[in-house]
């Protein structure tokens, strides 16, 4: 039962793409530790799932042509656009902004100019965020883009954000993250009315700091009130208490990596158990089918593809160290978001929140103490 | 191999207590969801491990007498001290401070008056921290006490702090947490020179916010420099990259609960795998011995007993929902800290850091920008 929920896109994108609208993704061919080899192999897998999609593959022409020759399925959906340089994984964002002809920059340009609806890159995250803000630009009404991704829980999947785009946040950012996370859960998980939790050190209303209490107060009085569950704690993430977990980028990044680390530890210890003797090895053979399903369900590659939400286009970051299967998952996420008109859903919610925000600004002018903490 | 490291106390306290110095613990008999029944059953288990210990058991006399009658081993080490009231689990700290005759308050009084060297309670954490600050008092040179505990990793155990005593911290707090965490790892894990990591969103020197970079800078130039590993990330906690992980109370609380939640999810899924058919059930029987060892190693009860460090006495908080075995672990932790003269080790390090802090204060006066962020 646990394994039953499908990502929305897995079942729906196929039909969307057989329709009249051909969507185009710009793909940074040079990003990631595995470079063009992994990217193109990933596109070959994605091509099967999204036969109607078009990909603008950007990078070193000779290398990309060579890789496409080895993957005819990828070649069938790709058009190469040459780029003279690539952003190294350790380049600082400020330096990356100065490189005008990088494969990452040209991928963002394609979205900004309307040639593509989304971009996928396995490159340098800091450079990606900086370029996305400058080139693709922030959505009107959003103060700061956030990084969102899906993780496994006992009840299905959870959307968590921010995962590191903003190490410090105020209550406005958290409220916007809630709006964007809700739209993300609708688009990528296919949920009609996702529930939202605000990550805190306790579930009581008085826990945490002022910005958390402010954000909770705004959400409780917003158009999302019925979906807002209140505060959740660390263990609620994997318990699946809510469909969306909202937090600042520092806490979200630490929580994501801590959870992944704990699961990795469990699998390493489990491997030792199964190798601890002849009987254990035999036992392993008997439980292997179920164990493989469990491993697949928790497989980080299945959850690859973090999204920078709050931009004028779909910007998806694949893990730099992923393989072809993982890169294909990142393409899935981008396709889901493009086809589900993710940003229109955000715009609608934000305009509803505008009235509320205006009221709150008024209140702050009357109570300087409230303004001081936000 | 993974299972080989023992908590220091498991092997050493037995001999310590057969010596000339009889240590006394004050135990809040009324705290926790299970109340006196669990506390006294836990003391019966602890009595076997610490035969030379004395316990001042504080709470409702009739109830405690009744429980001790059922546990002669506990009765052999306990003296009852009557208390007229108990702090409810949901009472606010400010209200708890006004109750003069609670079992928790009288337990703290026993430490403050030198009748006991440490206190253990499974009661209300917020009330415990507030009472400990007022009654047991903060150690000279420490700005704020922190909550520390041990967690399992792939390489042994890790000490993590702060786990929620301070939701907001400055660089001074983080440096003090590092000092106290190092002393804690020496006392409870028995490590001669524990390594220290500062939790961040990346391991590069420029990651994170100003308070993290400041704290790292101070530690790199302190007497702990050789043990300071620099920044660590969420996945480093369970990887066992360092023996001590230092963070603010908000992040630490979320990370601890997120990691526990992820492990719980792994065990729930594993149980489903082993129940998924006849062959899987047979397989389970074959791997059970190894699996039980793994479960024991990761058992939260084994890691029960969070310590409020930075106080003029040993103050240990047991999880409110624990069982007798878990409560006995919390008693182990208190005994380890009392016998290893934990606070003397902290005092020594802090005095060495004093010179450094004085230098830094001087620097801040010259550079107001530095002072502003700390």
């Amino acid at each position: 039962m646990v394994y039953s929920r499908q990502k929305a896109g897995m079942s729906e994108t196929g039909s969307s793409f057989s329709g009249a609208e051909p969507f185009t993704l710009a793909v940074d061919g040079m990003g990631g530790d595995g470079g063009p080899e992994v990217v193109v192999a990933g596109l070959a897998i994605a091509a099967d799932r999204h036969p109607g999609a078009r990909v603008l593959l950007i990078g070193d022409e000779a290398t990309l042509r060579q890789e496409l020759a080895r993957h005819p399925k990828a070649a069938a959906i790709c058009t190469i656009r040459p780029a003279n340089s690539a952003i190294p994984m350790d380049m600082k964002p400020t330096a990356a902004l100065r490189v005008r002809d990088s494969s990452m920059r040209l991928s963002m340009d394609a979205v900004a100019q309307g040639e593509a609806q989304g971009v996928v890159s396995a490159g340098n995250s800091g450079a990606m965020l900086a370029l996305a803000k400058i080139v693709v630009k922030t959505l009107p009404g959003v103060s700061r883009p956030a990084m969102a991704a899906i993780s496994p829980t006992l009840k299905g999947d959870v959307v968590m954000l921010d995962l590191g785009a903003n190490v410090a946040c105020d209550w406005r950012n958290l409220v916007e993250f809630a709006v964007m996370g809700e739209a993300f859960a609708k688009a990528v998980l296919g949920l009609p009315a996702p529930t939202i939790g605000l990550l805190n050190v306790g579930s009581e209303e008085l826990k945490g700091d002022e910005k958390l209490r402010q954000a909770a107060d705004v959400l409780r009085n917003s158009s999302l009130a019925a979906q807002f569950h209140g505060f959740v704690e660390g263990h609620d993430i994997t318990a699946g208490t809510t469909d969306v977990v909202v937090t600042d980028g520092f806490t979200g990044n630490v929580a994501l990596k801590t959870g992944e680390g704990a699961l990795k530890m469990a699998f390493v210890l489990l491997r030792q158990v199964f190798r601890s003797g002849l009987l254990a090895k035999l036992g392993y053979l008997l439980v292997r089918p179920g164990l493989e399903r469990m491993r697949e369900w928790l497989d980080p590659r299945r959850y690859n593809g973090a999204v920078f939400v709050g931009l004028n286009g779909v910007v998806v970051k694949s893990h730099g160290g992923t393989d072809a299967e993982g890169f294909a998952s990142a393409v899935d996420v981008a396709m889901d978001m493009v086809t589900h008109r993710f940003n229109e859903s955000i715009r609608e919610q934000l305009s509803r929140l505008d009235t509320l925000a205006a009221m709150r600004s008024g209140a702050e002018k009357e109570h300087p103490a409230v303004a001081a903490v936000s």
Side-chain angles (χ1 to χ4, degrees), chain A:
Chain A
M1 205 181 72
V2 159
Y3 306 105
S4 66
R5 194 200 285 176
Q6 285 278 325
K7 287 194 204 174
M10 296 283 187
S11 49
E12 295 176 23
T13 44
S15 58
S16 305
F17 280 92
S18 58
E21 287 183 275
F23 291 104
T24 301
L25 284 189
V27 171
D28 173 3
M30 313 306 283
D33 305 337
E37 200 179 320
V38 166
V39 170
V40 175
L43 288 172
I45 298 171
D48 269 342
R49 300 188 201 149
H50 312 280
R54 299 298 314 159
V55 169
L56 198 56
L57 182 61
I58 302 173
D60 180 70
E61 195 172 1
T63 313
L64 293 178
R65 198 171 298 283
Q66 197 181 325
E67 291 301 329
L68 285 179
R70 296 171 52 205
H71 295 283
K73 279 183 181 170
I77 61 166
C78 286
T79 309
I80 294 177
R81 171 165 297 176
N84 293 328
S85 66
I87 302 291
M89 293 302 269
D90 57 355
M91 185 180 257
K92 285 191 188 165
T94 44
L97 287 178
R98 288 193 295 267
V99 186
R100 297 271 159 185
D101 58 357
S102 71
S103 57
M104 192 186 279
R105 171 68 179 243
L106 295 185
S107 304
M108 301 279 180
D109 284 344
V111 174
Q113 287 151 16
E115 293 176 276
Q117 286 75 48
V119 53
V120 182
S121 173
N124 182 327
S125 328
M128 254 188 104
L129 177 60
L131 275 168
K133 280 184 187 170
I134 298 288
V135 179
V136 181
K137 293 196 170 64
T138 304
L139 211 57
V142 172
S143 332
R144 296 198 211 160
M147 197 181 204
I150 299 170
S151 297
T153 82
L154 280 171
K155 290 188 188 160
D157 291 332
V158 64
V159 169
M160 202 154 94
L161 76 170
D162 177 23
L163 299 176
N166 311 281
V167 291
C169 295
D170 61 20
W171 67 263
R172 279 184 199 83
N173 301 136
L174 293 173
V175 169
E176 289 174 15
F177 296 171
V179 169
M180 299 192 289
E182 195 257 1
F184 186 97
K186 278 181 177 161
V188 181
L189 301 182
L191 301 172
T195 55
I196 303 161
L198 204 49
L199 194 59
N200 200 343
V201 294
S203 52
E204 303 84 1
E205 279 191 25
L206 288 168
K207 288 275 182 178
D209 57 13
E210 194 54 33
K211 71 170 183 293
L212 279 168
R213 289 192 290 265
Q214 286 260 43
D217 190 42
V218 171
L219 288 168
R220 263 192 289 269
N221 293 292
S222 74
S223 50
L224 289 173
Q227 288 157 263
F228 181 56
H229 176 277
F231 294 134
V232 292
E233 300 180 63
H235 50 82
D236 288 307
I237 300 171
T238 43
T241 307
T242 57
D243 302 311
V244 180
V245 171
V246 173
T247 186
D248 65 90
F250 189 89
T251 310
N253 186 285
V254 167
L256 180 80
K257 290 174 180 168
T258 302
E260 285 179 356
L263 285 181
K264 192 179 167 187
M265 174 169 71
F267 277 111
V268 170
L269 293 177
L270 213 49
R271 200 178 309 134
Q272 292 179 357
V273 167
F274 288 129
R275 287 178 183 171
S276 61
L278 203 63
L279 285 180
K281 281 177 189 161
L282 183 61
Y284 170 68
L285 292 178
L286 296 174
V287 297
R288 192 162 59 178
L291 217 57
E292 285 303 316
R293 275 200 308 278
M294 172 180 165
R295 198 194 302 269
E296 223 168 83
W297 170 254
L298 299 176
D299 189 351
R301 292 179 305 175
R302 199 169 83 77
Y303 297 92
N304 187 34
V307 181
F308 288 111
V309 294
L311 295 161
N312 262 319
V314 168
V315 179
V316 175
K317 159 85 180 95
S318 160
H319 194 284
T322 197
D323 61 8
E325 193 57 62
F327 195 83
S329 295
V331 172
D332 285 340
V333 170
M335 284 296 186
D336 285 348
M337 297 191 66
V338 168
T339 52
H340 286 78
R341 305 191 177 287
F342 170 67
N343 278 343
E344 284 167 31
S345 171
I346 292 184
R347 271 192 212 104
E348 195 191 308
Q349 279 292 351
L350 283 177
S351 66
R352 281 195 221 162
L353 279 171
D354 272 355
T355 327
L356 196 76
M359 280 167 55
R360 183 153 285 265
S361 297
E364 280 173 12
K365 273 169 208 144
E366 287 163 39
H367 306 286
V370 178
V373 295
S374 65

